[in-house]
Amino acid sequence: MHVPDGFFNAATSISAGVVAAAGVAVCLRGARRELDDRTAPMAGLVAAFVFAVQMLNFPVAAGTSGHLLGGALAAILVGPYTGVLCMAVVLLVQGVFFADGGLTALGVNITLMGLVTVLAGWGVFRLVTGLVRGQVVVAAFLAALVSVPVSALAFTLLFWIGGTAPIDVGTVAAAMGGVHLLIGIGEGLITAATVGAVLAVRPDLVYGAAGLAKPLVLRGADGSGTPVGEPEPAPAAPGALRPFLLGGVGVTLVLAGLVSFFASSSPDGLEAVAEDKGFIDRAADHLFGSWALADYGEVGGIPVGVAGVIGVGLVLVLTGAVAYAARSRNQIKV
Amino acid sequence: MNSLEVRQLAYAYPDGTQALFGVDLSIARGERVALLGPNGAGKTTLVMHLNGILTAGHGSVTVAGTPVRKDTLSEVRQRVGLVFQDPDDQLFMPTVRDDVAFGPANAGLRGEDLDRVVKDALERVGMLDAVDRPPHHLSFGQRRRVAVATVLAMEPEILVLDEPSSNLDPAARRELAEILRSLDVTVLMVTHDLPYALELCERALILSDGVIAADGPTRTLLSDAELLARHRLELPYGFAVPVL
Amino acid sequence: MNSLEVRQLAYAYPDGTQALFGVDLSIARGERVALLGPNGAGKTTLVMHLNGILTAGHGSVTVAGTPVRKDTLSEVRQRVGLVFQDPDDQLFMPTVRDDVAFGPANAGLRGEDLDRVVKDALERVGMLDAVDRPPHHLSFGQRRRVAVATVLAMEPEILVLDEPSSNLDPAARRELAEILRSLDVTVLMVTHDLPYALELCERALILSDGVIAADGPTRTLLSDAELLARHRLELPYGFAVPVL
Amino acid sequence: MVHRLPPQCKLLAVLAFALVVVATPRERFWAFAAYAALLGGVALAARVPVAHMVRRMVIEVPFVLFALLIPVIGLGERITVLGLSLSVPGLWAAWNILAKATLGVAASVLLAATTEPREVLIGAQRLRLPGLLVQIAMFMLRYLDVIMDEMRRMRVARESRGFEARNFRQIPVVARSAGALFIRSYERGERVHLAMLSRGYSGRMPMIRDISASVGQWGTALALPAAALAVLGLSL
Ligand SMILES: Nc1ncnc2c1ncn2[C@@H]1O[C@H](COP(=O)(O)OP(=O)(O)OP(=O)(O)O)[C@@H](O)[C@H]1O
Ligand SMILES: Nc1ncnc2c1ncn2[C@@H]1O[C@H](COP(=O)(O)OP(=O)(O)OP(=O)(O)O)[C@@H](O)[C@H]1O
Ligand SMILES: [Mg+2]
Ligand SMILES: [Mg+2]
């Protein structure tokens, strides 16, 4: 999904650049709180890891293949602020050294693959860990799963607003969302496997899942042991709904903000929307019905934020349901 | 004032494995001390505390009178030079030259002085020819030598070496001994090579199961076959402690 | 039929450094041979050709009559067990058990047989206690032992070891010698530990600057101080070649 | 000469060039030809082999495919080309993306081919990119080596014990090693970082070489975007 130069018009590229720069600036301040003096090496390592696994292509149905985005993984391992920084650096390095993603599209790329994936991933992660305490791996799976289609929908939306080609946003969103839901499953599996493995041997490395330290033992000359030191206090249970809401609202705000911000640069799109009265029906129809890009010739354009917001909402509801199911199963077991 | 003072040091790795169970030792300025012990005894773990790479879970470490704490780390690291057991952990720059220059450059050295220090350190370990090669393209023994050079270039007061002679060819092993003897610094050397310990160090410590099990003149310890055997140590076949 | 046949083997690394300049050697079935030589001589490079990790730039390698080629690789690797110089190159699975089981499982072993083989190999190197720990959380010496176990578990016909005794504690060093003596396989062992070579191997090769510089009974080579000195080899201080 | 220019000059030049390219209206065919010629000139002066350029530009392929799809799914007026019904705005858009993306990729490849990554980052620092970002990027490049190395080691280790990744069923093995890879490289990275700290690292790479740029060097570097801008001006 690395957007090259020339994909978006200049206004969109620059506006996205402003959004990205603002986001990164906020994260630069927040990151220091997350990791103190180890920020740079830790983030660098996660960035390198994300970069490396982005080269792992896995097959998705119908002859396409996807690769890891890594936003959710980064957020879970080093926290959301540092996570955004990691993604920004990955994209920067890819753009500058590997010509992967255009230099003028850096803002778009950071917004879509950094800000959106991290926010969506982290929001879902907090929601699920808040609902079912200790299910970090499940939460990681869902977070990663959701982050991919959300990012794809954001891309579609942005392209519809400020892209250099006219498209039918509904069909493209449906197609993009569908394919990326599948890619999201791959993303979710790899993320869950990685987080699970790290959790098993270095729980201290998973942000927010701080482990319980055993007390140390001192051994005398006779071989007898005396315990010393007090175990560290257990981390406070993450607040259930509030962080999630913040995350979810954040994602929606970013999308909505982008929509209104770019509306002016794309009058044709707006006019088309204005003409199209029954757009909600149409949107639902497209989201669920027309995977095969059947009627692209006929439609003039589809609701702006609506497709995106519906997409986001749908995904959140879905995750909520899955999390709820997971919790009730958990309770039965206990 | 002692160069190194360790009091009741205990440490557990993040995964819960406790490696040190209350280590006590002190080493005077200018002493050369061998640290012996079986695999997994905690030698490397102990050594990593001496310049604050690991932080004591309990107890204290004092280097030349300065306690090792967050706020004293940079001073401590200036004084203690540590050669890691695995040279790949130690070498990280794109060329051998940059790697050896890294420490002195951080200490403020520049230009010709820097070049001279780098050349000197590499010459001592016989790796001057490789100065422009990337470290990860060297043979294992060559990497170990460069690792030693990076630390020599910093001219530390206290030199801590974790199995420096392993993977060195026999001549390099002897040359390293000569270098260490020629320096006027405190040396703590982890080794499984008991003849080497005897050759270089007057005093030896045995670390076993995370505590110091013996401390005394190397010659005395190595003559006590029973003590050695208790800690999985033994003199190699064909070797006899030379009579003075 | 010879276990190993190397003919005119030359090799240059991708960065242009030529490490081997025409190596010739042959080792008969059941022999135990030591490969000696200074740092950077090309020992590791040579050894990596013996199971096809590196591919000959010129010349040929034949293992038990099978030439090492792309299409014979899996057969060759079944026969040749290689213990790397750096245990981190060898261990990659999340637990010690998985790592030791990896080779036999690839060869088709399952269930109880697999468990038995794993347990057996770990017991031999004294690491059975660590069976469920992640290998990268072991001490260096412990990792080296597990690395040896991964290869023992594959029961290869030809065992190639790159400095297996470095970082081992003295008792483990002796135990490894006993294991190697107890196995009825061909052994090629790279080492800088000349007494160890003398103890274990009847025959020795000296590789120097990418060619074989000497080949003969270990005892004879080690008694030739001048030959040794030419190749940066020397017997350690306090060691005398024991009289038979 | 291109190789020796200070990295901050080159970085800024490439960025400015890409901006000019993106800002060029898509109807001005010959402006794009002139840009391509400019890049060709730089590549010639820097002696970057054509084969290298081509190989590195493969990265663009997925988006070329996407661009080719746009005329098919695009909206608006349609024409028929070789029996295919294509959208005219879609065709324009595809051309626009192909031309601009290709030029952008070529410029980046040229930059990467003539400058060490570490230098680019030092240059970026000079251009006031936040220090923390530069540091993260430095560590990323450093650890990329570590991770690639660990990946290679793990692959060799697997293969030398009889593993062949041909079979679909062996995916679990690879998946299991992904987690192990992270921890391994993390812990090695951690130790390397500690080794740096124990040799006095304080968050900034020591400047072993000085890289300040002279006015002349700025002039040389900015000649590229200036020429591009001139082309744009002329084409209006
Ligand atoms: N990163 C780690 N995580 C968890 N446990 C570890 C780690 N490193 C070492 N250990 C364990 O701590 C104990 C002490 O290890 P240490 O590396 O200090 O031993 P050592 O005396 O240096 O051994 P060797 O002679 O083999 O190098 C061992 O039981 C080891 O398994
Ligand atoms: N990956 C590599 N790339 C380039 N050159 C290399 C690489 N590995 C080793 N070399 C070079 O090849 C030569 C032989 O190296 P090799 O590792 O075979 O030596 P060795 O005999 O095993 O030494 P040691 O006793 O130190 O392990 C050396 O000059 C070394 O610098
Ligand atoms: Mg150790
Ligand atoms: Mg070697």
Side-chain angles (χ1 to χ4, degrees):
Chain A
M1 288 218 311
H2 292 71
V3 177
D5 292 315
F7 228 76
F8 288 95
N9 61 37
T12 311
S13 302
I14 291 172
S15 318
V18 172
V19 172
V24 168
V26 169
C27 293
L28 277 172
R29 309 193 63 194
R32 290 187 208 279
R33 243 180 303 131
E34 272 169 6
L35 290 171
D36 60 65
D37 60 330
R38 291 194 312 159
T39 306
M42 243 310 225
L45 187 96
V46 171
F49 187 71
V50 167
F51 182 92
V53 287
Q54 281 199 353
M55 293 188 304
L56 285 178
N57 275 292
F58 46 86
V60 181
T64 50
S65 75
H67 68 71
L68 207 67
L69 289 180
L73 179 64
I76 294 166
L77 287 178
V78 286
Y81 293 116
T82 318
V84 168
L85 295 186
C86 292
M87 296 306 290
V89 167
V90 169
L91 294 163
L92 186 78
V93 167
Q94 282 169 334
V96 176
F97 303 118
F98 298 90
D100 198 3
L103 286 180
T104 60
L106 204 55
V108 174
N109 281 324
I110 290 178
T111 304
L112 291 179
M113 282 190 278
L115 293 174
V116 173
T117 56
V118 167
L119 274 175
W122 183 247
V124 172
F125 181 76
R126 289 309 292 263
L127 167 69
V128 179
T129 48
L131 289 179
V132 280
R133 189 90 37 82
Q135 290 291 343
V136 176
V137 176
V138 175
F141 171 75
L142 291 172
L145 168 71
V146 169
S147 70
V148 180
V150 169
S151 170
L153 290 179
F155 167 83
T156 312
L157 202 61
L158 201 59
F159 192 74
W160 180 71
I161 298 165
T164 47
I167 53 159
D168 170 11
V169 70
T171 41
V172 175
M176 285 287 276
V179 170
H180 283 85
L181 203 63
L182 293 179
I183 294 180
I185 292 174
E187 171 115 5
L189 288 175
I190 294 182
T191 303
T194 308
V195 171
V198 176
L199 214 54
V201 289
R202 285 293 303 267
D204 58 314
L205 292 186
V206 180
Y207 176 83
L212 296 169
K214 277 191 300 186
L216 289 171
V217 175
L218 290 185
R219 224 180 250 154
D222 53 350
S224 64
T226 42
V228 292
E230 60 287 358
E232 279 164 36
L241 227 58
R242 201 169 44 97
F244 148 68
L245 276 181
L246 286 180
V249 168
V251 173
T252 320
L253 278 186
V254 168
L255 294 178
L258 286 173
V259 168
S260 52
F261 195 81
F262 297 121
S264 59
S265 67
S266 171
D268 318 88
L270 273 188
E271 276 161 32
V273 175
E275 279 164 24
D276 197 323
K277 294 297 188 308
F279 58 77
I280 293 190
D281 299 350
R282 192 71 62 71
D285 187 43
H286 278 282
L287 276 171
F288 298 111
S290 62
W291 295 88
L293 300 176
D295 46 0
Y296 48 78
E298 160 228 327
V299 196
I302 272 256
V304 195
V306 177
V309 173
I310 287 182
V312 174
L314 197 73
V315 154
L316 292 183
V317 168
L318 209 80
T319 322
V322 172
Y324 184 76
R327 180 176 68 163
S328 48
R329 192 149 19 101
N330 221 36
Q331 281 169 341
I332 291 167
K333 226 186 337 189
V334 168
Chain B
M1 192 176 54
N2 280 331
S3 267
L4 281 175
E5 281 270 354
V6 176
R7 285 283 150 262
Q8 285 294 307
L9 180 64
Y11 179 81
Y13 280 98
D15 71 352
T17 316
Q18 186 168 349
L20 299 179
F21 293 84
V23 171
D24 279 296
L25 63 89
S26 61
I27 296 178
R29 165 160 251 127
E31 261 191 308
R32 277 202 301 272
V33 180
L35 182 60
L36 315 174
N39 290 139
K43 303 181 295 297
T44 299
T45 312
L46 170 59
V47 149
M48 302 272 243
H49 280 85
L50 301 183
N51 72 349
I53 284 180
L54 296 180
T55 317
H58 174 83
S60 69
V61 178
T62 313
V63 171
T66 314
V68 179
R69 277 197 321 252
K70 259 226 158 98
D71 54 323
T72 58
L73 276 187
S74 65
E75 189 193 333
V76 165
R77 285 171 180 161
Q78 207 67 261
R79 288 167 187 259
V80 181
L82 175 57
V83 178
F84 286 62
Q85 187 164 15
D86 188 342
D88 289 339
D89 290 344
Q90 186 129 22
L91 305 174
F92 49 82
M93 294 290 277
T95 70
V96 168
R97 180 199 306 280
D98 290 350
D99 224 319
V100 179
F102 186 86
N106 275 324
L109 231 54
R110 290 288 179 281
E112 273 187 22
D113 289 344
L114 187 59
D115 284 350
R116 199 180 30 72
V117 167
V118 170
K119 227 187 106 200
D120 213 56
L122 284 173
E123 203 148 38
R124 284 188 126 153
V125 298
M127 288 300 297
L128 195 53
D129 290 346
V131 64
D132 285 317
R133 295 185 58 191
H136 47 277
H137 282 179
L138 298 176
S139 82
F140 204 92
Q142 291 171 328
R143 270 178 279 159
R144 172 143 348 251
R145 295 198 209 179
V146 174
V148 172
T150 61
V151 173
L152 289 182
M154 296 185 66
E155 300 179 358
E157 285 165 46
I158 302 163
L159 204 54
V160 180
L161 307 112
D162 200 349
E163 296 197 41
S165 67
S166 72
N167 306 100
L168 292 185
D169 63 39
R173 174 177 175 274
R174 176 180 40 76
E175 287 158 12
L176 178 66
E178 283 160 15
I179 294 173
L180 292 181
R181 252 198 295 262
S182 76
L183 297 174
D184 179 28
V185 297
T186 310
V187 172
L188 178 66
M189 179 175 79
V190 176
T191 189
H192 291 303
D193 186 342
L194 304 192
Y196 203 55
L198 181 62
E199 199 183 334
L200 257 173
C201 306
E202 319 81 58
R203 181 174 154 211
L205 304 167
I206 297 180
L207 183 71
S208 191
D209 274 339
V211 290
I212 298 286
D215 179 352
T218 313
R219 182 171 289 270
T220 318
L221 293 192
L222 294 196
S223 309
D224 186 344
E226 206 217 314
L227 171 74
L228 293 184
R230 257 203 318 262
H231 303 293
R232 293 184 56 82
L233 300 173
E234 56 195 38
L235 290 169
Y237 167 76
F239 177 82
V241 175
V243 194
L244 284 184
Chain C
M1 190 177 55
N2 280 331
S3 266
L4 281 174
E5 281 271 353
V6 176
R7 285 284 150 262
Q8 284 296 309
L9 179 64
Y11 180 80
Y13 280 98
D15 71 354
T17 317
Q18 187 167 348
L20 299 179
F21 293 84
V23 171
D24 278 297
L25 63 89
S26 61
I27 296 178
R29 165 159 251 126
E31 259 190 310
R32 277 201 303 271
V33 179
L35 182 61
L36 314 175
N39 290 138
K43 303 181 294 297
T44 299
T45 313
L46 170 58
V47 151
M48 302 272 240
H49 281 85
L50 302 183
N51 74 347
I53 289 176
L54 297 178
T55 318
H58 173 84
S60 69
V61 178
T62 313
V63 170
T66 315
V68 178
R69 275 195 324 252
K70 263 242 157 73
D71 54 322
T72 58
L73 273 189
S74 65
E75 190 192 333
V76 165
R77 286 176 177 160
Q78 208 65 260
R79 289 169 186 257
V80 180
L82 176 55
V83 178
F84 290 85
Q85 186 164 14
D86 187 344
D88 289 339
D89 288 347
Q90 189 127 21
L91 306 174
F92 56 89
M93 292 293 276
T95 69
V96 167
R97 180 198 308 278
D98 291 348
D99 224 320
V100 178
F102 189 85
N106 274 325
L109 230 56
R110 288 291 177 280
E112 271 187 25
D113 289 345
L114 188 58
D115 284 349
R116 200 179 30 70
V117 167
V118 170
K119 225 186 110 203
D120 213 55
L122 283 173
E123 202 146 39
R124 282 186 127 154
V125 297
M127 289 297 299
L128 194 53
D129 290 345
V131 64
D132 285 316
R133 296 186 56 190
H136 45 276
H137 281 179
L138 299 175
S139 83
F140 204 95
Q142 291 171 327
R143 271 178 279 159
R144 162 115 31 227
R145 297 197 209 176
V146 175
V148 171
T150 62
V151 172
L152 290 181
M154 296 184 66
E155 299 178 358
E157 286 166 45
I158 302 162
L159 204 52
V160 180
L161 306 112
D162 201 348
E163 297 197 41
S165 67
S166 72
N167 307 98
L168 291 186
D169 63 40
R173 174 177 175 274
R174 175 179 41 77
E175 287 158 12
L176 178 65
E178 283 159 14
I179 295 173
L180 293 181
R181 252 198 296 262
S182 76
L183 297 173
D184 179 29
V185 298
T186 311
V187 172
L188 178 66
M189 177 175 80
V190 176
T191 189
H192 292 303
D193 186 344
L194 305 192
Y196 202 55
L198 180 63
E199 198 184 332
L200 256 174
C201 308
E202 318 81 61
R203 180 175 156 212
L205 305 167
I206 296 180
L207 183 72
S208 191
D209 277 338
V211 291
I212 298 286
D215 180 350
T218 313
R219 181 170 288 269
T220 319
L221 293 192
L222 295 196
S223 310
D224 187 344
E226 206 215 314
L227 169 75
L228 292 184
R230 259 204 315 263
H231 303 294
R232 293 183 56 81
L233 301 172
E234 57 195 36
L235 290 171
Y237 166 78
F239 177 83
V241 175
V243 194
L244 283 184
Chain D
M1 187 194 71
V2 178
H3 289 264
R4 275 201 313 273
L5 278 178
Q8 64 269 37
C9 306
K10 285 190 269 190
L11 197 56
L12 206 62
V14 168
L15 195 62
F17 178 79
L19 271 176
V20 173
V21 169
V22 171
T24 306
R26 57 196 182 191
E27 293 80 12
R28 307 212 203 297
F29 291 107
W30 70 266
F32 290 104
Y35 297 150
L38 280 175
L39 284 184
V42 175
L44 212 63
R47 302 217 174 79
V48 180
V50 177
H52 176 86
M53 292 284 292
V54 171
R55 222 174 320 119
R56 297 292 300 271
M57 289 184 64
V58 171
I59 194 104
E60 215 197 340
V61 166
F63 267 97
V64 170
L65 294 181
F66 187 91
L68 293 181
L69 209 63
I70 292 178
V72 182
I73 64 168
L75 306 173
E77 176 193 347
R78 305 190 78 80
I79 56 167
T80 306
V81 181
L82 300 175
L84 277 174
S85 163
L86 300 176
S87 140
V88 173
L91 278 174
W92 275 111
W95 148 250
N96 183 49
I97 288 170
L98 278 183
K100 292 180 179 175
T102 308
L103 286 168
V105 168
S108 299
V109 168
L110 264 180
L111 174 68
T114 59
T115 321
E116 284 284 313
R118 232 163 57 86
E119 305 230 305
V120 177
L121 289 177
I122 293 174
Q125 197 164 20
R126 289 231 152 196
L127 293 176
R128 300 269 177 281
L129 196 71
L132 189 56
L133 278 191
V134 174
Q135 264 190 64
I136 295 178
M138 288 236 180
F139 274 105
M140 174 186 166
L141 289 177
R142 161 74 202 120
Y143 289 140
L144 207 52
D145 265 3
V146 172
I147 290 178
M148 294 299 170
D149 226 48
E150 296 288 329
M151 267 171 140
R152 188 188 46 76
R153 287 164 175 236
M154 287 167 78
R155 187 176 46 78
V156 167
R158 276 201 301 265
E159 284 175 5
S160 69
R161 277 189 272 155
F163 178 81
E164 280 163 87
R166 289 205 209 105
N167 203 316
F168 184 75
R169 274 174 301 146
Q170 284 154 338
I171 283 181
V173 174
V174 180
R176 265 162 84 63
S177 16
L181 172 70
F182 177 79
I183 299 164
R184 268 176 70 125
S185 15
Y186 176 82
E187 290 185 336
R188 180 165 299 263
E190 200 177 34
R191 287 194 300 269
V192 168
H193 175 234
L194 293 169
M196 295 174 71
L197 289 179
S198 64
R199 281 197 273 148
Y201 178 73
S202 57
R204 277 185 85 88
M205 279 289 171
M207 287 282 180
I208 296 174
R209 282 174 288 272
D210 188 40
I211 54 151
S212 54
S214 69
V215 177
Q217 286 170 321
W218 274 113
T220 316
L222 292 182
L224 174 70
L229 202 59
V231 169
L232 179 60
L234 281 177
S235 72
L236 287 178

